[in-house]
Amino acid sequence: MAISKAVGFIATILLLYSLNALGQEDEDLPCNRRDVGIEGRSVVCVCTATYCDTITRRDPEPGTYVVYTSSNAGQRFEKSSGRILEEVNNGGTEDDAPAAGDGAQDPPEASQIWNNVVLRIRTISRHQYIEGFGGSVTDAAAINWRKLSDATQQQFIDSYFGPKGLEYNLIRVPIGGCDFSEHPYTYAETPWHDTTLSNFSLSSEDYFLKLPMIRRSQRVATDEIKITASTWSPPIWMKTNEAITGFGQLRPQYYQAYADYHLRFIEEYDKIDVKIWAITTTNEPINGIVPFVQFNSLGWAPSQLGRWVANNLGPTIRNSPYNKTLILGVDDQRYLLPIYLAGMEREDPKSIDYLDGIAVHWYGNFFPPQTLSLIQNRYPDKIILATEACEGSMPWHLEQLAIGSWERARRYVTSIIDDLNNFVVGWIDWNLCLSPTGGPNWADNFVDAPILVYGDKDEFIKQPMFYAMGHFSKFIPRGARRVTVSRASLATVENVAFIKENGNIVVVLQNRLRRVMNVKLRISNRNYIDIVMEERSVKTIEINPSTPA
Ligand SMILES: *[C@@H]1O[C@H](CO)[C@@H](O)[C@H](O)[C@H]1NC(C)=O
Ligand SMILES: *[C@@H]1O[C@H](CO)[C@@H](O)[C@H](O)[C@H]1NC(C)=O
């Protein structure tokens, strides 16, 4: 008796102790805020060798939820939690009322109509499985990262990939150089016309920049990092214009050599134990047809791309030891997908059979996101992956960098929500980091990035875009499935919802407006939660709908 009492006591102490330990683990290091000193901008978070903010996911108890909030006002993943509520006088009817109707006698105030949102999450209506979220290991990203001390480099890697960071699980890497390199290069520059690629070799950029950054990321990642690789330009002797940029296509006699070039890259990375999960069929094929841009490119007309994939790239990959490597077609803007896919299919339907998916970039996002749903309908067995996005790249962007801009984070969130609601399975950001002038870039195509690195001060800053990415990457794990959200009010907020493998529901909401919005999230006929959305804020809510014991 006494012994069992003592055991019970010790067990209780241990339980309290472990609960306490869990509580401590939950304590995050807050953003070390810096006001960027520009009117209208939000804050940035400063990281050094000795300090960097962290974000830990808290598992909601049954019947509860946890909310993470970031906002223009300066919140960064601020945590709060609450209990799932139960409707008392609602007879369990389905989605009764728009807005604040629930049994009210008086007509609702105008402010109620416009500020009260009711969303119904329909977990039985399930769509695509999520692969993940991530960023790109370009030469430019790795050059900046390497300017930091070893301890600060680690803070950087932990911030993106670690258990107390954004837990990225996707990376995109250029095959050879791109504009975010210090100079253009390929892996088989000499001898010319050598279709055997006898002198193929990775570059010093691979060995000293990209591969070390990838391997450091893999060491802390909480899930397998799936790597997508893309070629910008082949060796110039394969091209009609014998130049790295401008109007130039692949010479037909080198169709097979260019397919082999991809296979050789996969082999070389595999030798260093870095597995390539997917390749795309060349970055932005339109750039070598309509050469507005002055950086590494290869032009493909849709019919040419169809011929090459059907006769060369597809068979080369599928008949190799790397036959499981995914082939993602097009890798260009939203509005070009229908044109390219139809053209490829018309040329040779086998080209479509070889594709596992379709890669899309965000620079054409003025075109409606429903284009992606139409593509998914047309090709139901393909995945759609977003492979590139950044702010500050457009001619109308007066400033390439807008340090601390909430508006840029807001556009990331809008775009990711739109893409996910239209069947995109994953979303890869462009450069993981850049310099304070948005480079280096040999073609002077400077842009913004979620992290900017100040090598001289051994520090980096996390811009609002970093947190925008994290509101998805941290909380929507690989294997989660998107579910339908329907609106039962006049007003709305941007939204997307998922069900995780463990049954938890994850919802991302964005309030773009400069006023507070009240959101009722119905998760069943009887159960709901109430959320107050601060002005210009984004929230991720993880709900554990199981009944408390
Ligand atoms: C092979 O490539 C290297 C650069 O990687 C170059 O220096 C060398 O000249 C090339 N060999 C031939 C025979 O072209
Ligand atoms: C795919 O490649 C593996 C080796 O990586 C090989 O064992 C397998 O037979 C190949 N499958 C096909 C269908 O060629």
Side-chain angles (χ1 to χ4, degrees):
M1 202 61 195
I3 287 174
S4 77
K5 255 191 179 158
V7 167
F9 176 71
I10 289 167
T12 308
I13 293 292
L14 285 176
L15 180 67
L16 287 174
Y17 191 80
S18 64
L19 282 177
N20 189 38
L22 277 176
Q24 279 170 359
E25 202 185 311
D26 212 20
E27 288 303 324
D28 283 317
L29 298 174
C31 166
N32 175 18
R33 294 178 191 202
R34 178 180 291 163
D35 182 341
V36 301
I38 302 173
E39 180 69 24
R41 296 284 167 78
S42 190
V43 295
V44 297
C45 307
V46 183
C47 290
T48 62
T50 51
Y51 189 90
C52 197
D53 54 305
T54 61
I55 170 66
T56 320
R57 200 185 61 80
R58 186 192 299 164
D59 243 332
E61 296 291 323
T64 73
Y65 62 89
V66 182
V67 187
Y68 307 83
T69 304
S70 300
S71 66
N72 176 57
Q75 292 159 292
R76 296 291 180 265
F77 291 138
E78 268 184 31
K79 265 181 213 164
S80 59
S81 55
R83 203 158 281 289
I84 299 172
L85 302 174
E86 199 167 329
E87 212 77 69
V88 273
N89 55 1
N90 173 355
T93 49
E94 179 77 0
D95 272 359
D96 22 18
D102 299 19
Q105 318 269 302
D106 303 321
E109 303 275 334
S111 69
Q112 277 184 320
I113 292 177
W114 294 114
N115 296 352
N116 289 351
V117 177
V118 183
L119 299 172
R120 174 71 191 268
I121 299 166
R122 302 179 177 280
T123 51
I124 51 162
S125 170
R126 299 184 181 189
H127 310 286
Q128 80 273 26
Y129 288 95
I130 294 304
E131 278 294 351
F133 300 87
S136 300
V137 176
T138 58
D139 293 345
I143 287 165
N144 282 295
W145 173 66
R146 291 254 308 196
K147 287 189 182 138
L148 298 166
S149 67
D150 197 64
T152 314
Q153 282 182 21
Q154 194 58 43
Q155 299 271 30
F156 180 102
I157 295 292
D158 289 341
S159 289
Y160 268 129
F161 296 95
K164 294 188 169 189
L166 302 191
E167 299 189 65
Y168 272 11
N169 58 7
L170 298 178
I171 279 179
R172 182 173 183 232
V173 66
I175 300 175
C178 68
D179 52 327
F180 282 95
S181 302
E182 288 182 316
H183 64 110
Y185 60 89
T186 69
Y187 297 136
E189 285 176 351
T190 55
W192 277 44
H193 312 301
D194 174 19
T195 52
T196 66
L197 304 176
S198 59
N199 199 24
F200 184 102
S201 52
L202 295 181
S203 65
S204 60
E205 282 85 353
D206 292 285
Y207 293 115
F208 297 108
L209 295 170
K210 292 185 272 191
L211 285 164
M213 197 175 195
I214 291 170
R215 295 176 64 107
R216 279 280 276 278
S217 307
Q218 288 174 327
R219 279 209 286 276
V220 303
T222 57
D223 194 359
E224 181 199 353
I225 297 180
K226 293 186 171 176
I227 301 175
T228 299
S230 307
T231 305
W232 265 246
S233 171
I236 61 175
W237 53 265
M238 292 189 193
K239 296 172 70 178
T240 52
N241 62 342
E242 297 184 355
I244 206 81
T245 185
F247 180 79
Q249 291 87 50
L250 199 65
R251 287 178 164 146
Q253 66 265 40
Y254 299 126
Y255 271 32
Q256 186 53 43
Y258 186 49
D260 293 338
Y261 183 83
H262 286 81
L263 183 59
R264 290 287 292 112
F265 168 79
I266 298 171
E267 282 170 359
E268 291 301 318
Y269 263 47
D270 188 35
K271 281 182 193 161
I272 310 156
D273 211 23
V274 172
K275 306 264 179 279
I276 300 299
W277 170 67
I279 55 171
T280 73
T281 56
T282 305
N283 178 72
E284 298 183 356
I286 198 73
N287 292 352
I289 304 266
V290 187
F292 286 126
V293 295
Q294 291 305 315
F295 53 75
N296 325 40
S297 63
L298 174 66
W300 285 113
S303 57
Q304 295 170 329
L305 190 57
R307 213 174 311 147
W308 178 63
V309 171
N311 299 329
N312 308 100
L313 184 70
T316 300
I317 298 298
R318 292 294 169 254
N319 296 327
S320 79
Y322 304 97
N323 51 39
K324 293 273 190 319
T325 312
L326 305 191
I327 301 176
L328 307 179
V330 193
D331 206 17
D332 212 323
Q333 318 311 333
R334 203 180 263 174
Y335 56 88
L336 291 168
L337 298 181
I339 302 169
Y340 268 92
L341 292 165
M344 291 171 72
E345 191 171 353
R346 209 173 307 122
E347 178 66 24
D348 191 336
K350 283 204 304 296
S351 65
I352 302 292
D353 296 341
Y354 280 118
L355 298 184
D356 301 282
I358 296 148
V360 61
H361 293 191
W362 97 326
Y363 311 98
N365 281 6
F366 43 84
F367 217 68
Q370 289 74 16
T371 314
L372 300 170
S373 284
L374 294 176
I375 294 282
Q376 183 73 90
N377 265 332
R378 177 73 188 77
Y379 305 102
D381 62 331
K382 318 288 181 207
I383 61 167
I384 307 176
L385 185 70
T387 45
E388 200 184 303
C390 70
E391 277 289 338
S393 70
M394 294 297 180
W396 57 84
H397 287 138
L398 297 179
E399 15 173 43
Q400 281 131 351
L401 271 73
I403 296 178
S405 166
W406 181 261
E407 183 54 19
R408 288 188 168 186
R410 197 282 296 162
R411 277 200 291 269
Y412 262 54
V413 172
T414 299
S415 173
I416 299 170
I417 288 178
D418 277 349
D419 281 355
L420 292 170
N421 278 326
N422 287 281
F423 295 96
V424 161
V425 299
W427 214 88
I428 310 178
D429 187 27
W430 192 210
N431 303 277
L432 283 174
C433 64
L434 288 172
S435 76
T437 51
N441 184 296
W442 75 265
D444 293 344
N445 181 29
F446 304 115
V447 301
D448 216 336
I451 287 184
L452 300 178
V453 171
Y454 297 78
D456 50 337
K457 291 192 264 182
D458 194 29
E459 71 175 33
F460 60 90
I461 59 167
K462 295 172 173 173
Q463 301 215 65
M465 288 181 284
F466 174 89
Y467 299 89
M469 288 298 301
H471 271 276
F472 300 88
S473 65
K474 179 76 187 176
F475 308 102
I476 308 168
R478 180 171 295 148
R481 247 183 123 172
R482 182 171 65 87
V483 298
T484 296
V485 180
S486 53
R487 170 156 63 114
S489 55
L490 282 172
T492 193
V493 291
E494 294 176 343
N495 62 78
V496 65
F498 303 85
I499 185 156
K500 296 190 359 177
E501 281 167 343
N502 68 4
N504 283 1
I505 299 165
V506 177
V507 189
V508 184
L509 302 176
Q510 170 160 261
N511 178 12
R512 295 167 63 151
L513 304 175
R514 288 165 197 265
R515 62 168 191 262
V516 173
M517 301 286 277
N518 305 309
V519 181
K520 186 184 288 282
L521 288 178
R522 290 188 187 281
I523 60 169
S524 70
N525 287 345
R526 299 184 63 86
N527 296 109
Y528 67 97
I529 69 176
D530 281 329
I531 299 285
V532 177
M533 293 285 294
E534 296 85 345
E535 61 174 84
R536 303 178 80 191
S537 67
V538 53
K539 286 181 194 279
T540 303
I541 304 140
E542 180 163 353
I543 306 165
N544 184 341
S546 52
T547 318

